[in-house]
Amino acid sequence: MNTPNKLTLIRVIMVPIFVILMYQDFSSARMVSTIVFAAASFTDFLDGHIARKNNLVTNFGKFADPLADKILVCSAMILLASTNEIPAWMVIIIIAREFAITGFRIIAASENITIAASPLGKIKTVSQLISLILLLTNIDALRTPGLYIFYFATFFTVVSGIDYFKKNIKVLDLENI
């Protein structure tokens, strides 16, 4: 197993650690869980960078990397929504988009079409991660900026989802429904 794929697996393993820490009741539990989340988020950048730089892109990585990202981000959003720190309706929009795009990519893959991440999708991902890190800290001064960035992330979630479908609508073969 190559280094990028190991980093992806480490990210998946970090999710339950992050979640368990969020439920702990010691004074710095929230900050420690935020650090675990941030470190896991950094592995997403790192594994992609290493894979592209060293030509280590694999089918496993193409599948597991986005899945690991979604598990991490959705876990954080669900935890924050469960404590009313972010609006649940926004979380539903984001998760619904992730399901839709994942399904769309599965259809594309069955036709041997790879749908690469777009710049809008990257804006979505970065803004989600930044907002979640700010909100997870539970520091009052970071709550409002974190929430505004989360609104921005939700907007780009919708925009990037529409962009994916518009640019790749041929994958659905709508004439043969």
Side-chain angles (χ1 to χ4, degrees):
M1 181 174 290
N2 67 31
T3 300
N5 290 341
K6 287 177 184 174
L7 287 168
T8 296
L9 288 178
I10 289 169
R11 185 162 60 259
V12 171
I13 292 166
M14 292 174 86
V15 172
I17 296 167
F18 155 68
V19 171
I20 289 167
L21 285 166
M22 283 290 287
Y23 284 106
Q24 297 309 301
D25 193 24
F26 59 92
S27 63
S28 58
R30 188 76 181 246
M31 192 56 68
V32 173
S33 67
T34 302
I35 291 167
V36 170
F37 179 87
S41 298
F42 182 69
T43 67
D44 179 31
F45 162 77
L46 193 58
D47 68 16
H49 175 73
I50 292 169
R52 285 185 295 278
K53 180 181 175 193
N54 299 312
N55 197 26
L56 296 172
V57 176
T58 65
N59 286 335
F60 174 81
K62 288 178 191 176
F63 166 75
D65 181 65
L67 181 61
D69 301 342
K70 287 168 185 41
I71 292 168
L72 178 66
V73 169
C74 289
S75 296
M77 290 189 303
I78 291 167
L79 287 168
L80 289 168
S82 73
T83 55
N84 295 318
E85 294 176 64
I86 57 175
W89 66 267
M90 294 173 112
V91 173
I92 292 167
I93 287 172
I94 292 170
I95 292 173
R97 183 263 191 208
E98 298 304 336
F99 275 118
I101 296 301
T102 299
F104 194 65
R105 283 186 161 156
I106 290 168
I107 293 168
S110 73
E111 300 292 325
N112 294 318
I113 299 169
T114 300
I115 301 176
S118 73
L120 292 174
K122 290 186 185 294
I123 292 169
K124 176 226 27 139
T125 300
V126 169
S127 59
Q128 283 178 355
L129 293 174
I130 291 169
S131 70
L132 292 172
I133 290 168
L134 293 175
L135 292 164
L136 286 167
T137 65
N138 206 27
I139 296 171
D140 285 339
L142 300 178
R143 187 169 290 126
T144 299
L147 200 52
Y148 282 130
I149 297 169
F150 191 73
Y151 291 137
F152 178 84
T154 303
F155 173 77
F156 269 94
T157 296
V158 173
V159 170
S160 66
I162 292 167
D163 182 59
Y164 270 110
F165 281 104
K166 281 178 63 177
K167 288 182 177 175
N168 300 285
I169 195 73
K170 64 186 177 296
V171 169
L172 293 180
D173 190 20
L174 296 174
E175 294 176 8
N176 291 315
I177 297 179

